[in-house]
Amino acid sequence: MLFMLVAQSAISQDLIVKKSGEIILCSIEKVDDHFIHFYEIPDTSKLLLYKMDVALVSKVAFATTVIGVDVYPEKKSGKDALTGSRHMIETNVDGIFNNYLSIFYQFVKPGFAVDVGYKRYNAPRNFLSQNVDDSGSMMELGVSFPMKLFGKSSLPYRGIYLRGFGIYTNGDFMNGFQAFNQVPYEHITFGAQGVFSYQVSNGFYLKAYFGLAGTKRIDRFSLPSQRADLSGGDGLQSIYGMRVGYIF
């Protein structure tokens, strides 16, 4: 009996906690993406190696770690790192230089992301040697799909997305030379863009995007000047920018 106690203590007593609540004391040989390989504690000679599907396991703990902490030696990366769902708030950094403010909410799952946003712009500028006040608001809706993810377990939101979007613009401009002539306009825009997202810390991330969009006037004449991150007021145009966001 003394020999058995000494032999048992010589084997590392690791712990596997199954999702069913069952606890297994064992000696873990290795953990890979699909299975946990282990020996039973009484098997001092390590003659029979068992393996258990990781889908059945909620936690593992090693003799040198604190029991109850989620421990997986092989950290997940790429598309496997982005699990569950995330809520995000972001705003355009380039809006500071282009006279507009924006706020976006984004919901991210491993296979897709949906965002909705609001922009408000006020862009006094010189057009054909006349002062023009061009102001309005924009509602934007976007859907993104991952093309290439390269995050890791601690910082999973990193990768390249393909995003489709639609924008509704409502605004007016006023010619300073003819201040009484205030002209309203409405636009609708559809396009696609590539998005590079990079999580820099637990809560914050950066996003850069570039793409093409088509804008159609749906009410009256409008000034063909830049509005928010659109490069023009009508027809085919580029759309690009940079955002900073917070994950909560």
Side-chain angles (χ1 to χ4, degrees), residues 12-187:
S12 61
Q13 294 189 26
D14 303 322
L15 183 73
I16 298 175
V17 181
K18 298 178 65 175
K19 291 181 179 178
S20 63
E22 181 185 354
I23 298 175
I24 301 174
L25 291 173
C26 59
S27 173
I28 296 177
E29 183 72 11
K30 68 174 182 176
V31 178
D32 57 35
D33 291 337
H34 305 288
F35 295 100
I36 298 174
H37 303 260
F38 65 95
Y39 296 98
E40 290 187 333
I41 285 297
D43 187 5
T44 57
S45 301
K46 294 187 176 182
L47 297 177
L48 184 58
L49 180 65
Y50 290 87
K51 67 178 182 180
M52 181 178 296
D53 194 325
V54 295
L56 302 175
V57 177
S58 61
K59 296 180 182 180
V60 297
F62 296 91
T64 56
T65 65
V66 178
I67 292 178
V69 178
D70 290 309
V71 179
Y72 284 93
E74 295 187 9
K75 299 294 184 179
K76 293 183 178 180
S77 61
K79 65 180 181 179
D80 296 324
L82 189 59
T83 58
S85 59
R86 288 165 175 78
H87 303 272
M88 305 177 176
I89 293 291
E90 58 190 48
T91 186
N92 279 75
V93 177
D94 49 304
I96 300 172
F97 309 102
N98 292 322
N99 299 303
Y100 74 93
L101 298 174
S102 68
I103 184 72
F104 278 79
Y105 164 76
Q106 181 174 232
F107 176 72
V108 175
K109 294 277 285 183
F112 69 93
V114 178
D115 62 89
V116 59
Y118 174 80
K119 298 177 184 177
R120 180 71 186 174
Y121 60 90
N122 187 358
R125 64 188 74 232
N126 187 283
F127 180 69
L128 298 179
S129 301
Q130 297 178 5
N131 292 323
V132 171
D133 185 17
D134 182 19
S135 61
S137 60
M138 306 169 73
M139 292 295 298
E140 184 170 345
L141 177 66
V143 180
S144 304
F145 300 95
M147 304 301 291
K148 177 68 175 178
L149 298 179
F150 46 83
K152 53 187 180 180
S153 295
S154 56
L155 300 170
Y157 186 56
R158 293 179 176 180
I160 299 172
Y161 287 78
L162 178 64
R163 178 177 180 259
F165 61 91
I167 303 173
Y168 170 74
T169 303
N170 183 284
D172 59 71
F173 72 92
M174 184 171 60
N175 190 318
F177 182 70
Q178 297 174 320
F180 62 88
N181 188 21
Q182 188 171 14
V183 182
Y185 59 83
E186 290 181 274
H187 282 171

